[in-house]
Amino acid sequence: DLASERTLFQVLSKEGGGTKIKIEKYLDCLGQNFLFDKNHLHKIVACCPVDDKIIIIEIGSGYGNLTNLLAKTDCQKVIGIEKDSQLFQWLIENNKNEKIIYHHQDALKIN
């Protein structure tokens, strides 16, 4: 469960030196923001009317906190679009779920 900054930093540290400085670098270079608060994550998911015909597209999956919760709903699939190559690689290695499909793309350039 990566829905906390502390847990995420522990996981990144085990994977080879991930630090808060590294994450702040992401924030500066791509304007990224990461959502860790479980209450906020659950509120967002609760606002989504979902059934088995719905395919959810999430732009900027980050570390997959929201993506994983969305996949636990009745939705058909979650498509996560992530521009950042390091985050994309991290997602495909650490967030395996048959309902989630990740794309390494800039969402503004998809046609």
Side-chain angles (χ1 to χ4, degrees):
D1 181 12
L2 296 176
S4 76
E5 276 185 279
R6 185 171 194 218
T7 303
L8 179 60
F9 294 137
Q10 288 171 347
V11 169
L12 289 174
S13 295
K14 289 177 187 173
E15 292 180 358
T19 64
K20 192 169 186 174
I21 293 168
K22 185 174 182 180
I23 290 174
E24 287 173 356
K25 180 180 174 191
Y26 286 131
L27 295 170
D28 291 340
C29 71
L30 294 177
Q32 295 168 319
N33 293 286
F34 301 105
L35 185 57
F36 297 105
D37 185 293
K38 287 184 182 183
N39 292 323
H40 292 317
L41 289 163
H42 286 285
K43 285 179 184 178
I44 291 168
V45 172
C47 291
C48 301
V50 178
D51 63 37
D52 62 352
K53 295 179 180 111
I54 298 292
I55 296 174
I56 299 171
I57 299 174
E58 180 191 23
I59 298 172
S61 297
Y63 289 100
N65 293 331
L66 182 59
T67 316
N68 288 320
L69 280 179
L70 290 168
K72 290 179 182 178
T73 67
D74 292 332
C75 72
Q76 186 181 88
K77 290 260 181 236
V78 178
I79 299 172
I81 301 170
E82 182 54 61
K83 178 180 177 178
D84 185 301
S85 57
Q86 289 179 316
L87 285 174
F88 174 75
Q89 189 64 38
W90 192 92
L91 284 165
I92 60 172
E93 291 173 6
N94 295 285
N95 285 324
K96 294 176 174 43
N97 183 314
E98 64 184 39
K99 286 177 72 173
I100 302 173
I101 300 169
Y102 291 111
H103 291 281
H104 180 223
Q105 289 182 277
D106 182 342
L108 296 176
K109 296 180 181 176
I110 294 174
N111 53 10

